[in-house]
Amino acid sequence: MSQDNKEDLFPAIGVIADKADQLPEENIPDASADNAEEKPMQEVESLCMKCGEQGITRMLLTSIPYFREIIVMSFRCEHCGASNNEIQSAGAIRPEGTLYTARILARSDLDRQIVRSASASIVIPELQLTLPSSARGQLTTVEGLIRDIVADLSMDQPLRRIQDEDSYTKIQSLIDKLKDILGDDEDEEGDEENAQASTKASEKDTPMPAFTVKLDDPSGNSWIEFIGSISDPKWNMRTYPRTLQQNIELGLVAAPDESASAVQGVAKVSLDASESDVVGGEVEGSNEEIYVFPGSCSSCGHPLDTMMKKVNIPYFKDIIIMSTNCDRCGYRDNEVKSGAAISEKGKKLTLKVEDREDLSRDILKSETAGLTIPEIDLVLTHGTLGGRFTTLEGILDQVYEELSEKIFSGDSASNTPEATKERSRFEKFLGDLKDIKSAARPFTLIIDDPLANSYIQNLYAPDPDPAMTVELYERTWQQNEDLGLNDMKVEGYEADTNTHVDVTDKENEDHAADHEEKVVGNESIAH
């Protein structure tokens, strides 16, 4: 389908609204074939599964700005009053999953739209609330999502109060916290529909506790609205590769055969090499070998495997990538170590980023490297974030996530004037960081590594990169002391060991002689 035809088939919501306003009122309820082309939505008769009569399903093909095309479907039966709303993605499953994070700090944030596909799950960490994937998609707002949760949890509360008082108490505590977010009064609870129509939660003046909404969709077909632009400091999107289990659940691949996977697993972790595989004293294909070490998860304690792989970076050196992934609790950890000797000098890398192409450069940041962006006064000390092998865009995303997690939680989420001022300052900083992440303006990236184990991809290798400066420098005594190099001796240590052995033997002989003299003296006294 061409781009022009796609725009005609999936117009924006604003275009559909304007088209509906221009229609005569007498033509709107008419579903005849003559007006079918003019109607902004399609109507078809559908069987009502509740009463068996014929109802009407309305379908609206539209596109959400900065997102993608969706199909909004609404069914209503005029005979029994049954209704149902659902959305479906009109596009293909995305190559990667998406994780959206929205910080709901003010009541205006409750109006953010949410597109939730059937495979998406929602987590509100502050309330320890997780909504697993459902059987149908949903188009709502944050306020609508909260109200749906309150309605679903309140449905069986009278019965729980009689049968299971403990569960009733816990669920009621969660409902009360959700109602504090909505700001509903007690007199509004009896007539919830009229309460929603009179005053929206986003328009009330009562204080609202801050919370976070995380939308995780392996198919990549969900979305949370940002305010203004993608530089919104309270909104973030991260993509991730799907796991095998997620691909199986989405129906993209078939479940593997257990017997076949067992044979493949043995071959994968085999450390033995035949003589025919040895070429020039090295094992052929050794860089493709993945070593697996059994261990236990530091989060839940269940057994897991840590995988290690040796990777050669062209025009740099060998590195070792270690990855840990727990299938039970979801804990993940990735770490990069240098596979070469300690460099005699430190290295300082300076990259001038001018456009989005520079964001795709590969970056190896070791655990001893510091990162600086002078344009936004961002300084990460040595050791921050640990060792990472990713792209420039990936490491900036991780910096943003780490900072936003700390800024919009704890004391900074309170409503005191000092906290509000500090939060505003950090919101501006995160907005600048988002501009940097999208290369909306040029910036300078500086990586300073005393061990010279960090790397930025040279797009012109082996020729010098005009946008990057590499500077080698002598480490100071304090840097060597912090790295433990002053007390490290790798040459001539055999002589020190022999000297130590000789001195120890001499001390033992002297001690034995003294002991013998004391024994002889005691014997003479006894006689």
Side-chain angles (χ1 to χ4, degrees):
M1 181 184 297
S2 65
Q3 185 66 25
D4 295 337
N5 293 336
K6 181 181 289 187
E7 291 179 357
D8 295 339
L9 188 60
F10 295 94
I13 294 179
V15 175
I16 296 176
D18 294 339
K19 185 177 179 180
D21 293 339
Q22 295 173 2
L23 288 178
E25 295 184 359
E26 60 271 11
N27 290 342
I28 293 179
D30 189 3
S32 62
D34 297 336
N35 294 327
E37 295 294 332
E38 299 180 359
K39 294 179 66 61
M41 65 181 69
Q42 305 297 323
E43 295 183 354
V44 294
E45 290 188 354
S46 304
L47 178 67
C48 177
M49 304 305 296
K50 188 174 182 180
C51 66
E53 299 291 339
Q54 290 292 327
I56 298 295
T57 297
R58 295 176 174 85
M59 293 185 297
L60 175 64
L61 281 66
T62 182
S63 62
I64 297 179
Y66 304 103
F67 184 51
R68 55 181 63 99
E69 297 79 20
I70 63 171
I71 302 174
V72 182
M73 294 182 291
S74 175
F75 171 80
R76 180 170 179 80
C77 178
E78 298 294 340
H79 301 278
C80 64
S83 61
N84 185 22
N85 300 314
E86 184 178 353
I87 71 164
Q88 291 183 359
S89 174
I93 295 178
R94 301 295 159 172
E96 294 182 316
T98 53
L99 174 62
Y100 291 90
T101 303
R103 314 287 180 179
I104 312 301
L105 305 180
R107 289 200 169 274
S108 59
D109 295 326
L110 294 175
D111 288 335
R112 292 176 184 260
Q113 286 187 337
I114 295 179
V115 177
R116 180 187 180 191
S117 72
S119 60
S121 62
I122 297 179
V123 178
I124 303 179
E126 290 80 0
L127 302 178
Q128 298 182 355
L129 178 64
T130 300
L131 305 179
S133 57
S134 59
R136 61 187 181 90
Q138 186 180 14
L139 174 61
T140 181
T141 62
V142 176
E143 178 183 353
L145 177 68
I146 299 297
R147 291 193 182 277
D148 288 344
I149 297 173
V150 172
D152 292 341
L153 294 178
S154 302
M155 185 178 300
D156 296 330
Q157 277 297 85
L159 185 61
R160 291 193 192 98
R161 189 171 187 175
I162 300 174
Q163 295 181 346
D164 190 351
E165 189 172 355
D166 291 339
S167 298
Y168 166 81
T169 303
K170 294 178 181 178
I171 295 176
Q172 189 61 39
S173 175
L174 177 59
I175 294 175
D176 294 339
K177 293 179 181 178
L178 294 173
K179 287 184 177 180
D180 290 339
I181 296 174
L182 298 174
D184 292 341
D185 298 331
E186 293 182 359
D187 55 349
E188 294 178 346
E189 296 179 4
D191 193 359
E192 187 174 352
E193 294 184 359
N194 293 335
Q196 296 181 38
S198 60
T199 305
K200 296 169 56 178
S202 59
E203 299 175 354
K204 297 181 180 179
D205 297 331
T206 55
M208 184 197 74
F211 63 98
T212 305
V213 177
K214 293 185 176 181
L215 179 61
D216 188 355
D217 186 5
S219 69
N221 288 328
S222 296
W223 182 71
I224 294 181
E225 180 186 9
F226 53 78
I227 297 177
S229 66
I230 59 174
S231 298
D232 181 5
K234 295 183 286 187
W235 178 92
N236 186 47
M237 182 195 75
R238 180 175 64 86
T239 60
Y240 62 88
R242 283 188 292 266
T243 63
L244 175 61
Q245 184 61 33
Q246 289 173 332
N247 284 327
I248 294 175
E249 292 174 354
L250 292 174
L252 300 179
V253 297
D257 187 4
E258 295 183 358
S259 59
S261 62
V263 175
Q264 293 175 1
V266 172
K268 182 179 181 181
V269 303
S270 176
L271 303 181
D272 297 331
S274 61
E275 295 181 357
S276 59
D277 295 333
V278 179
V279 179
E282 296 182 358
V283 179
E284 185 177 5
S286 58
N287 283 346
E288 286 75 23
E289 191 80 39
I290 298 178
Y291 302 94
V292 181
F293 303 93
S296 59
C297 178
S298 59
S299 179
C300 65
H302 287 91
L304 53 74
D305 292 332
T306 296
M307 291 179 286
M308 185 177 72
K309 185 178 188 296
K310 183 180 178 183
V311 177
N312 178 263
I313 300 179
Y315 306 104
F316 186 55
K317 59 178 70 173
D318 291 339
I319 64 171
I320 297 175
I321 300 178
M322 292 179 289
S323 175
T324 301
N325 185 11
C326 182
D327 295 332
R328 293 179 177 266
C329 68
Y331 171 78
R332 288 186 177 184
D333 183 48
N334 300 305
E335 193 171 357
V336 178
K337 297 286 187 182
S338 173
I342 297 176
S343 175
E344 296 181 358
K345 295 183 179 182
K347 180 185 291 185
K348 183 178 181 181
L349 303 170
T350 304
L351 175 66
K352 300 288 186 180
V353 180
E354 301 290 343
D355 51 32
R356 290 192 59 87
E357 292 183 0
D358 291 325
L359 296 178
S360 60
R361 290 177 183 253
D362 291 332
I363 283 186
L364 169 63
K365 178 196 169 298
S366 73
E367 63 273 11
T368 59
L371 186 146
T372 305
I373 301 179
E375 286 79 2
I376 59 174
D377 296 329
L378 173 64
V379 178
L380 300 182
T381 58
H382 300 278
T384 306
L385 298 179
R388 290 291 181 268
F389 184 34
T390 178
T391 61
L392 176 55
E393 183 178 9
I395 200 167
L396 291 178
D397 283 338
Q398 189 171 10
V399 171
Y400 178 87
E401 291 180 7
E402 291 286 339
L403 292 178
S404 61
E405 287 286 344
K406 294 176 175 59
I407 292 169
F408 294 134
S409 61
D411 296 337
S412 62
S414 61
N415 293 322
T416 61
E418 294 80 5
T420 303
K421 183 178 179 180
E422 186 72 11
R423 187 164 62 235
S424 299
R425 187 170 68 89
F426 272 108
E427 284 182 9
K428 182 181 182 304
F429 168 77
L430 288 181
D432 295 338
L433 181 57
K434 277 216 164 182
D435 290 339
I436 294 297
K437 278 200 324 175
S438 59
R441 55 172 172 167
F443 65 95
T444 305
L445 177 73
I446 301 175
I447 295 182
D448 187 356
D449 189 355
L451 290 181
N453 287 331
S454 295
Y455 160 83
I456 299 179
Q457 183 183 9
N458 182 356
L459 300 180
Y460 300 87
D463 298 328
D465 192 330
M468 183 168 57
T469 303
V470 180
E471 177 185 351
L472 298 177
Y473 62 89
E474 295 287 344
R475 287 188 293 267
T476 63
W477 183 91
Q478 186 59 43
Q479 287 177 325
N480 287 329
E481 181 69 17
D482 295 338
L483 296 171
L485 300 179
N486 289 334
D487 299 329
M488 185 183 297
K489 191 171 185 180
V490 296
E491 295 180 357
Y493 56 85
E494 297 91 349
D496 294 342
T497 305
N498 294 333
T499 303
H500 178 70
V501 172
D502 294 340
V503 171
T504 303
D505 293 340
K506 187 176 185 304
E507 291 178 353
N508 292 336
E509 291 176 359
D510 295 341
H511 179 70
D514 294 340
H515 180 69
E516 185 177 355
E517 291 178 357
K518 291 179 181 179
V519 172
V520 173
N522 291 336
E523 289 180 354
S524 60
I525 293 173
H527 288 298

